[in-house]
Amino acid sequence: MTDTRRRLLDMGYQNPIILLHPWRMKQHEKVLEDGVLDPETTVVSIFPSPMHYAGPTEVQWHAKARISAGANSYIVGRDPAGMGLDP
């Protein structure tokens, strides 16, 4: 994790930023506090792989990578191909 920014710069990314919004972390904390997930057996971690919104193939890659790293499930939003406007 400590060299992620340098590695992304080496790959050609112009200004890679790994940003964890405080509200996102508070959501994770609340899920643990409420007992939705057991805090004794749950690990909250960062997966340093940027999303490009490149469509279904990228979604499958991210899901497979996380499952290979030990995730039990992966939730996909409604528009993995882009952040376009609703018609």
Side-chain angles (χ1 to χ4, degrees):
M1 248 336 266
T2 57
D3 69 338
T4 301
R5 180 175 169 76
R6 181 192 53 77
R7 292 175 64 193
L8 290 172
L9 286 167
D10 291 346
M11 291 170 56
Y13 291 91
Q14 297 297 315
N15 186 24
I17 297 172
I18 297 177
L19 176 64
L20 294 177
H21 291 284
W23 56 265
R24 174 68 59 92
M25 296 311 293
K26 287 180 183 177
Q27 288 175 334
H28 297 323
E29 290 168 8
K30 187 68 174 158
V31 165
L32 295 172
E33 284 175 16
D34 289 353
V36 176
L37 296 173
D38 181 8
E40 296 295 319
T41 60
T42 302
V43 176
V44 177
S45 63
I46 301 166
F47 193 85
S49 178
M51 296 271 188
H52 296 287
Y53 300 98
T57 303
E58 183 189 11
V59 170
Q60 291 174 357
W61 183 90
H62 281 284
K64 177 88 172 180
R66 285 163 174 78
I67 289 170
S68 296
N72 292 328
S73 58
Y74 184 73
I75 299 171
V76 177
R78 67 172 186 80
D79 188 13
M83 297 174 61
L85 300 173
D86 289 332

